[in-house]
Amino acid sequence: MTEKADTKTTAKKAVPSAKDPMHGMTLEMIIVQLEQQFGWEELGRRIKIKCFTDDPSVASSLKFLRRTPWARQKVEALYIRSQRPAK
């Protein structure tokens, strides 16, 4: 009986923090939200990559960002910054 109780306690500790802004977000969800918030033109100014400046689309952005870790990191960082409450 004590083994089951220990398992449940351990499982609760493994639950990700609700404060993580990336929790449950897919790359597609991030791109769509950033595009709605900033628009393609502003995204292209903030992160200078062709998938945001030359004929932008969610599909082309996904394709590029999935193959390019440095660009994906920039997009994720912008998303995290955009989720912070304004001071």
Side-chain angles (χ1 to χ4, degrees):
M1 279 259 183
T2 57
E3 287 182 36
K4 284 187 179 182
D6 291 339
T7 304
K8 288 180 182 178
T9 305
T10 305
K12 287 181 182 179
K13 290 179 183 175
V15 175
S17 171
K19 293 183 181 185
D20 179 9
M22 297 295 289
H23 178 69
M25 295 297 293
T26 64
L27 184 57
E28 182 175 8
M29 292 166 71
I30 292 169
I31 293 169
V32 168
Q33 188 166 340
L34 288 174
E35 191 276 325
Q36 289 174 348
Q37 184 174 353
F38 298 111
W40 292 117
E41 194 172 322
E42 182 62 23
L43 275 175
R45 273 195 287 263
R46 290 175 181 246
I47 304 172
K48 296 183 183 344
I49 50 178
K50 284 188 177 184
C51 67
F52 291 161
T53 60
D54 297 347
D55 195 25
S57 70
V58 172
S60 67
S61 299
L62 283 171
K63 186 175 180 180
F64 177 75
L65 294 171
R66 286 179 177 146
R67 295 183 317 204
T68 317
W70 64 265
R72 183 178 180 147
Q73 288 173 342
K74 288 185 178 212
V75 170
E76 289 174 349
L78 176 60
Y79 172 77
I80 290 169
R81 284 193 311 271
S82 73
Q83 299 305 301
R84 291 184 186 154
K87 290 183 178 183

